[in-house]
């Protein structure tokens, strides 16, 4: 109210207590210099706007016009000397300059004449002072256009639900008598959000699956391609929400759950295919079963007629669309179930000699073995496709993680760059005001920011994270690999 003076500064005493009331890093993270701490606080703190209402002064300094921002900066100038009075004068100003390098000031004259002040609520907007209305318009324009959403390290935007969880974490800490720690609060929030991100990603996968997939598919490869599309969307949803998953535990959990979803999808696809194939064979074999029951084939030459009718039925079965991946396996099972009947018809066919019967039986066994080989080869091919899909999934996880990390690095460097510019600007101002010692302390902060930038730019900044994902994937896959290996062993034994 009125002006920016010492009384106004004294009312901001809480600013001087910020570092006592809250800490950035958890205990045990190594000692940090004071300058480094203030730089870390700046990452969390909002922009600083000082609004001065009922402003009556002229915006002039040493006979020249100044802006509102220059008026604020003049009010934040430090007083030389080391006396207690100078220290009390400088303390709130130093804290504001140190913790809020991005600062803005707005001044507002009285909104109406003295006679109208008592009935401000009754005045129409056009009855307010034009200069006041213009000042308000500038202030609102700044708030709407320049205000940034609250973020946490890495540039991740805080949603309403996340803000609620942060508030609960801070209040719980205060009630327990400890100093709230930003790093611990963010890590606790990350646990909640990353767990929710996994659930959301699985939900996206299932929703995409419902839209894209109609079972049974004609091949395992077609199913795996559809799975890959759904997985890609699920990963995008996960990457958009997750943050500070430094040990990649949650991404590993998502990989495991999507792999389980794929296994279940393959099983459901096989069941749907098997059911459809069995239903088709049941319908197509009705006529053949009726003829067997009527003894149509229990006559001389009946075996050949049975083979011809059975082959006709098989050809009709092969023309049925949409049978899916179990078409050959179910047919093989069906023909195998009819083999005893076929052998009975063969043995009672008086038109054949014993030698011819023996040759026919051998031919039937050879055909059955060939069909079995084809089924096993199909299983082997499908197994190979599933193994290749695992590698594809791993590569997709790596690709999306690398993209996310590159984006986070870019945001982090932008954040660092803004902080660096603000610190350099503040250092320049201190040097102009003759406060070389304070400017020297800022030099340490600037040097620390430069070192951080160098670390962030190193290839190892991203490579180490990708390496962690590789380790997690290795831990997540043994059960899956073991299961596939057992299936493969059984197939190879039957093949050879």
């Amino acid at each position: 109210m009125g002006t920016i003076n010492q009384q106004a500064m004294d009312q901001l005493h809480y600013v001087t207590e910020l570092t006592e009331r809250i800490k950035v890093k958890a205990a045990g993270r190594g000692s940090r210099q004071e300058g480094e701490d203030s730089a870390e606080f700046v990452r969390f703190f909002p922009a600083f706007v000082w609004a001065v209402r009922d402003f009556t002064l002229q915006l002039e300094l040493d006979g020249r016009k100044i802006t509102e921002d220059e008026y604020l900066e003049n009010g934040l100038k430090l007083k030389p000397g080391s006396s207690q009075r100078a220290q009390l004068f400088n303390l709130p100003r130093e804290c504001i300059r140190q913790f809020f390098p991005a600062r803005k000031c707005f001044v507002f004259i009285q909104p109406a004449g003295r006679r109208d002040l008592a009935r401000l609520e009754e005045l129409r907007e056009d009855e307010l002072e034009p200069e006041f209305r213009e000042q308000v318009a500038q202030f609102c324009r700044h708030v709407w256009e320049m205000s940034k959403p609250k973020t946490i390290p890495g540039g991740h935007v805080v949603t309403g639900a996340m803000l609620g969880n942060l508030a609960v974490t801070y209040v719980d800490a205060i009630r327990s008598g400890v100093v709230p720690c930003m790093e611990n609060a963010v890590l606790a929030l990350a646990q909640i959000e990353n767990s929710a991100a996994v659930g959301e990603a699985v939900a996206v996968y299932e929703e995409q699956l419902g839209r894209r997939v109609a079972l049974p598919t004609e091949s395992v490869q077609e199913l795996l391609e559809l799975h890959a599309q759904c997985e890609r969307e699920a990963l995008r949803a996960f990457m958009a929400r997750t943050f500070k998953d430094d040990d990649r535990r949650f991404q590993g959990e998502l990989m495991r759950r999507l792999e389980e979803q794929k296994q279940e999808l393959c099983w459901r696809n096989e069941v749907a295919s098997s059911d459809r194939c069995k239903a088709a064979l049941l319908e197509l074999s009705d006529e053949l079963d009726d003829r067997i029951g009527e003894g149509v084939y229990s006559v001389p030459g009946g075996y050949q007629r049975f083979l011809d009718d059975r082959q006709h039925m098989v050809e009709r079965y092969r023309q049925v669309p949409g049978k899916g991946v179990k078409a050959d396996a179910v047919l093989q099972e069906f023909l195998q179930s009819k083999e005893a009947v076929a052998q009975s018809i063969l043995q009672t066919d008086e038109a054949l000699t014993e030698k011819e019967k023996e040759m026919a039986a051998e031919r039937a066994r050879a055909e059955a073995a060939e069909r079995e080989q084809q089924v096993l080869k199909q299983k082997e091919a499908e197994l190979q496709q599933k193994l290749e899909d695992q590698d594809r999934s791993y590569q997709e996880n790596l690709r999306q993680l690398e993209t996310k990390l590159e984006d986070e690095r870019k945001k982090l460097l932008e954040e660092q760059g803004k902080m660096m510019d603000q610190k350099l600007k503040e250092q320049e101002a201190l040097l102009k005001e003759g406060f070389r010692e304070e400017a020297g302390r800022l030099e340490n902060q600037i040097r620390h920011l430069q070192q951080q930038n160098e670390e962030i730019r190193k290839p190892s900044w991203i490579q180490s994270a990708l390496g962690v994902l590789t380790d997690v994937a290795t831990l997540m896959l043994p059960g899956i690999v073991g299961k596939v290996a057992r299936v493969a062993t059984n197939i190879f034994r039957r093949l050879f």
Side-chain angles (χ1 to χ4, degrees):
M1 171 95 64
T3 61
I4 296 177
N5 55 23
Q6 186 58 35
Q7 182 182 355
M9 288 289 174
D10 291 340
Q11 289 174 345
L12 289 179
H13 65 87
Y14 69 87
V15 177
T16 67
E17 301 170 2
L18 280 172
T19 55
E20 299 171 17
R21 302 296 182 183
I22 195 165
K23 58 183 178 179
V24 175
K25 295 289 182 182
R29 292 293 304 273
S31 59
R32 300 176 61 82
Q33 296 178 9
E34 180 185 346
E36 295 177 15
D37 283 334
S38 72
E40 293 297 330
F41 274 104
V42 169
R43 293 183 194 278
F44 288 86
F45 287 175
F48 185 95
V49 177
W50 196 323
V52 187
R53 55 172 283 195
D54 295 353
F55 186 72
T56 56
L57 301 179
Q58 295 294 319
L59 285 175
E60 291 183 356
L61 181 66
D62 299 333
R64 65 178 183 86
K65 289 186 178 298
I66 58 172
T67 65
E68 290 99 324
D69 292 341
E70 288 173 326
Y71 172 68
L72 171 61
E73 294 306 311
N74 185 63
L76 293 176
K77 281 186 176 180
L78 304 181
K79 182 178 288 187
S82 57
S83 66
Q84 185 176 4
R85 185 174 181 180
Q87 290 177 12
L88 290 173
F89 179 90
N90 290 339
L91 183 58
R93 290 170 172 79
E94 285 178 337
C95 288
I96 292 173
R97 291 171 68 150
Q98 190 173 37
F99 294 124
F100 301 98
R103 302 183 289 271
K104 187 73 179 170
C105 181
F106 290 93
V107 299
F108 303 88
I109 65 168
Q110 286 191 338
R114 189 177 60 177
R115 292 180 181 179
D116 291 329
L117 286 178
R119 60 185 194 93
L120 276 178
E121 297 297 329
E122 303 170 11
L123 297 180
R124 298 190 310 274
E125 188 169 332
D126 61 5
E127 293 179 301
L128 299 176
E129 289 289 339
E131 185 180 354
F132 174 80
R133 297 206 307 270
E134 175 58 29
Q135 290 168 335
V136 169
Q138 291 177 1
F139 172 75
C140 291
R141 191 157 51 244
H142 173 82
V143 171
W144 295 129
E145 294 178 3
M146 303 305 294
S147 295
K148 299 288 192 299
K150 181 175 178 60
T151 60
I152 51 182
H156 200 86
V157 175
V158 175
T159 65
M162 291 167 67
L163 184 62
N165 286 323
L166 275 175
V168 169
T169 303
Y170 286 141
V171 170
D172 285 348
I174 293 168
R175 291 178 65 190
S176 66
V178 301
V179 177
C181 173
M182 294 182 185
E183 183 180 51
N184 287 346
V186 169
L187 289 175
L189 180 62
Q191 297 288 312
I192 297 170
E193 278 297 297
N194 290 338
S195 180
V198 172
E200 181 182 330
V202 173
V204 167
Y205 175 87
E206 291 172 345
E207 185 266 334
Q208 291 287 322
L209 207 63
R211 286 174 44 196
R212 297 171 187 260
V213 179
L215 301 180
T217 59
E218 285 302 310
S219 67
V220 168
Q221 188 60 42
E222 179 186 345
L223 186 71
L224 292 176
E225 287 172 0
L226 290 168
H227 159 76
Q229 294 168 15
C230 299
E231 181 188 52
R232 194 175 303 119
E233 295 302 318
L235 270 172
R236 283 175 183 156
F238 175 78
M239 292 298 177
R241 187 166 183 177
T242 185
F243 67 95
K244 290 200 76 65
D245 184 20
D246 296 337
D247 58 2
R248 306 302 151 198
R249 179 164 65 90
F250 291 96
Q251 188 172 358
E253 172 66 11
L254 178 61
M255 292 172 72
R256 184 188 65 79
R257 290 183 62 176
L258 291 184
E259 180 64 28
E260 288 177 352
Q261 290 270 358
K262 183 182 75 174
Q263 298 293 336
E264 183 187 351
L265 179 63
C266 290
W267 175 79
R268 284 167 45 208
N269 192 45
E270 290 180 359
V271 169
S273 174
S274 182
D275 290 347
R276 185 168 295 183
C277 293
K278 287 176 180 177
L281 283 171
L282 188 64
E283 181 181 344
L284 293 171
S285 64
D286 275 348
E287 186 178 350
L288 187 67
D289 289 341
D290 289 344
R291 289 179 178 176
I292 292 172
E294 293 167 1
V296 172
Y297 305 118
S298 301
V299 296
Y303 181 66
Q304 186 58 49
R305 185 177 178 183
F306 167 77
L307 291 180
D308 292 341
D309 288 349
R310 189 181 69 176
Q311 183 60 31
H312 178 64
M313 185 213 68
V314 170
E315 289 171 357
R316 288 175 63 197
Y317 169 77
R318 294 195 186 281
Q319 292 172 3
V320 174
K323 295 188 296 297
V325 296
K326 299 292 285 184
D328 290 341
V330 171
L331 177 61
Q332 169 64 3
E333 291 173 7
F334 173 81
L335 294 176
Q336 196 68 30
S337 71
K338 298 295 183 183
E339 192 57 35
V341 175
Q343 288 301 312
S344 176
I345 294 172
L346 173 62
Q347 296 305 322
T348 58
D349 192 339
E350 297 176 355
L352 298 173
T353 65
E354 289 301 319
K355 183 66 173 175
E356 288 173 330
K357 290 179 181 179
E358 187 179 330
M359 291 175 63
E362 181 61 32
R363 190 161 49 248
R365 285 193 292 272
E367 289 173 355
E370 184 178 353
R371 288 193 300 269
E372 182 69 18
Q373 283 286 97
Q374 289 175 347
V375 170
L376 291 174
K377 285 181 179 178
Q378 180 184 342
K379 287 184 178 179
E380 181 187 7
E382 291 172 355
L383 172 62
Q384 183 61 35
Q385 289 166 357
K386 289 177 181 178
L387 290 172
E388 289 172 357
D389 183 75
Q390 274 191 0
D391 182 63
R392 177 213 54 77
S393 175
Y394 166 66
Q395 295 298 333
E396 179 66 22
N397 271 271
L398 276 182
R399 186 188 67 79
Q400 291 210 27
L401 176 59
E402 185 172 7
T403 300
K404 178 179 177 63
L405 291 172
E406 285 288 1
D407 184 55
E408 287 182 354
R409 172 154 66 181
K410 181 180 177 182
K411 289 178 179 177
L412 198 52
L413 286 171
E414 287 177 358
E415 180 184 281
Q416 295 274 115
K418 289 177 183 177
M419 287 174 59
M420 182 86 73
D421 292 342
Q422 291 165 351
K423 295 291 183 184
L424 288 169
K425 182 179 177 182
E426 180 68 15
Q427 185 184 43
E428 183 182 1
L430 286 170
L431 287 171
K432 281 183 178 179
E433 294 170 31
F435 294 92
R436 295 188 174 277
E437 184 178 343
E438 288 78 0
R441 286 200 294 268
L442 266 181
E443 181 64 33
N444 293 333
Q445 296 179 32
I446 293 168
R447 194 177 299 114
H448 178 64
L449 286 171
Q450 290 171 336
Q451 291 171 353
Q452 287 182 328
N453 283 350
E454 291 172 5
E455 288 298 318
I456 294 168
R457 287 193 177 94
K458 287 180 180 178
S460 58
W461 193 81
I462 286 180
Q463 290 170 356
S464 60
L466 298 180
V468 171
L469 179 62
T470 301
D471 294 339
V472 170
T474 303
L475 291 173
M476 289 292 176
L477 290 178
I480 299 164
V481 172
K483 186 188 299 180
V484 172
R486 286 193 295 274
V487 174
T489 302
N490 292 333
I491 290 174
F492 295 150
R493 283 175 179 167
R494 294 168 73 180
L495 275 172
F496 303 109

